[in-house]
Amino acid sequence: MRISTEISRGRLGVAHEGVVSGGRGLASLAVLKDVRESWEARLTAVRGECGYLSGALLKVAKEMGETDSAVERSFGVVKQGEPR
């Protein structure tokens, strides 16, 4: 998702190339510019959030794996302590 939002943000810029010169005199250009900047900010925020979540989820996965290993080892101690 991080990659696709950056690609989309780039495409948004390309799609707006020439709009200012081609639409000179139109009152809607200022609004269009504001909308574009708003979308660029949103896509940048989503990209940043994905980056944060990626790190956070990897950390959780590591911690869960360590917990699973610790629990597994604790069962081994119980099995070894049982009489045969």
Side-chain angles (χ1 to χ4, degrees):
M1 195 166 170
R2 272 185 96 218
I3 293 168
S4 66
T5 56
E6 188 58 25
I7 291 170
S8 297
R9 197 175 69 82
R11 287 181 180 164
L12 191 59
V14 171
H16 282 82
E17 288 177 359
V19 170
V20 173
S21 61
R24 198 161 289 178
L26 297 175
S28 62
L29 282 179
V31 174
L32 181 60
K33 179 180 179 256
D34 290 344
V35 169
R36 175 186 166 202
E37 289 172 354
S38 172
W39 272 108
E40 285 177 341
R42 288 180 183 139
L43 290 170
T44 299
V46 166
R47 186 170 191 269
E49 186 68 16
C50 287
Y52 162 76
L53 287 174
S54 174
L57 290 173
L58 286 172
K59 182 180 175 186
V60 167
K62 180 180 182 293
E63 289 174 1
M64 288 179 69
E66 290 170 357
T67 300
D68 288 349
S69 294
V71 169
E72 184 179 6
R73 284 191 306 274
S74 73
F75 284 127
V77 170
V78 171
K79 282 183 179 180
Q80 289 173 3
E82 291 178 352
R84 292 184 183 195

